[in-house]
Amino acid sequence: MLTVAVTGATGAQGGATARALLTAGHHVRALTRRPGSPAAEALRGLGADVRHADFDDRASLGAALSGADALFAVTTPFGTDTAAETRQGRALVDAAAAARLGHVVLTSAAHADRGTRIPHYESKYLVEQHLRTAGVPWTVIAPAAFMDNYASGWTLDGLREDTFAWPMPAGRPLTLIPAADIGAFAALVLRRRDAFAGRRIDIASDTCTPDHIAGVLAAATGRPVVHQEVPLDHVRTRSADLAAMFAYFTDVGLDVDVAGLRRDHPEVGWHSFADWAAGQEWSALLSAAPAPH
């Protein structure tokens, strides 16, 4: 039985990893800047040890990691910026090395090691490079595009008008993964350190075109959803970073060996996009008031 510290435990990837580890019988230290939040309370209810930790407070990181066996590390530029993500990620890696942890599993992004020129991929890759030289056993898992994003933001706004608004051509394939599968794979890697140490693995559970996604969403929501390609110039007015990402998805593609992952690691219980869509509470999501932009 492991004691695993999980950063971003109240977010999508960290929360999914914490739940997968708890289900497998491991001890979880759920690290968060907001230990009194509803998400933190939910993790406590599942048996997690919720602790305060701040990436910009080295003392809090050291205290939170002391005595743990391993770390699941997630960083994000959203809400800060890419420079902050790199700085905080490096600080987290340094704290893990100082605590002499037996394994650090860092979640990055598929293709982040391929010179994408996507700002929030490049910042993650700088953290990856730092981890490789930190002197601690490591694994990098690199998820493809998140299915969970299709139940929020501009996608959800579009679905209220029976439109799947997405900045890619209708027939361009994209590899996808839900947070639940990221968490399940991360838990597998943490349980099997010797098999995964020193490896970087792009992960995804399905490949879909926007046209196919629209059809699946139509079936799941019971609405006549059709794909509408959002111009990249429109995305660029909101975020140059996201525009660069969608341009990469369209021009280069985000290929991941989905079939190989399903064959080699069936215990993850990989979800297709249809599986994921069927599990969402679309009635509640679509009836909720749109979030302000």
Side-chain angles (χ1 to χ4, degrees):
M1 186 178 295
L2 298 171
T3 296
V4 182
V6 177
T7 63
T10 56
Q13 294 189 71
T17 301
R19 290 188 292 274
L21 289 165
L22 288 166
T23 298
H26 298 289
H27 297 300
V28 169
R29 289 186 190 170
L31 310 189
T32 175
R33 288 179 300 168
R34 297 177 291 276
S37 69
E41 290 296 340
L43 287 171
R44 280 194 188 92
L46 295 174
D49 174 13
V50 178
R51 300 195 182 188
H52 174 263
D54 188 323
F55 287 172
D56 288 321
D57 180 350
R58 180 61 182 268
S60 76
L61 289 177
L65 297 178
S66 178
D69 298 307
L71 167 69
F72 175 78
V74 58
T75 61
T76 178
F78 302 111
T80 55
D81 55 50
T82 53
E85 177 178 29
T86 300
R87 182 188 73 248
Q88 292 174 347
R90 287 170 170 166
L92 180 59
V93 167
D94 289 344
R100 300 179 183 236
L101 297 191
H103 194 193
V104 174
V105 175
L106 173 70
T107 180
S108 179
H111 288 212
D113 60 337
R114 302 192 192 186
T116 64
R117 298 187 180 179
I118 303 166
H120 74 277
Y121 281 37
E122 299 295 323
S123 57
K124 292 180 191 304
Y125 187 55
L126 290 172
V127 179
E128 289 186 39
Q129 292 175 302
H130 190 69
L131 176 61
R132 290 170 185 261
T133 63
V136 60
W138 60 269
T139 305
V140 173
I141 65 172
F146 294 170
M147 294 181 190
D148 307 76
N149 288 342
Y150 296 147
S152 64
W154 74 46
T155 301
L156 192 60
D157 292 344
L159 290 177
R160 294 190 178 100
E161 299 176 2
D162 300 332
T163 299
F164 172 53
W166 201 245
M168 289 178 65
R172 189 69 169 103
L174 179 65
T175 48
L176 304 168
I177 190 168
D181 289 2
I182 301 171
F185 190 79
L188 173 66
V189 170
L190 286 158
R191 294 197 305 270
R192 296 176 53 198
R193 181 186 73 178
D194 291 346
F196 288 98
R199 295 176 61 189
R200 185 191 193 280
I201 308 164
D202 285 349
I203 58 173
S205 54
D206 203 357
T207 303
C208 300
T209 65
D211 253 359
H212 178 71
I213 290 170
V216 170
L217 291 173
T221 61
R223 302 170 75 110
V225 177
V226 295
H227 169 247
Q228 180 181 72
E229 184 174 355
V230 177
L232 278 179
D233 284 345
H234 177 71
V235 179
R236 203 167 284 115
T237 64
R238 299 188 177 194
S239 170
D241 191 338
L242 291 180
M245 181 183 73
F246 284 114
Y248 184 87
F249 287 173
T250 297
D251 297 339
V252 180
L254 202 60
D255 63 294
V256 179
D257 185 7
V258 172
L261 288 163
R262 286 178 172 270
R263 179 190 65 239
D264 295 340
H265 308 294
E267 61 270 55
V268 170
W270 305 98
H271 293 78
S272 68
F273 184 71
D275 294 334
W276 172 84
Q280 306 308 302
E281 297 291 339
W282 292 109
S283 293
L285 289 168
L286 292 167
S287 63
H293 292 295

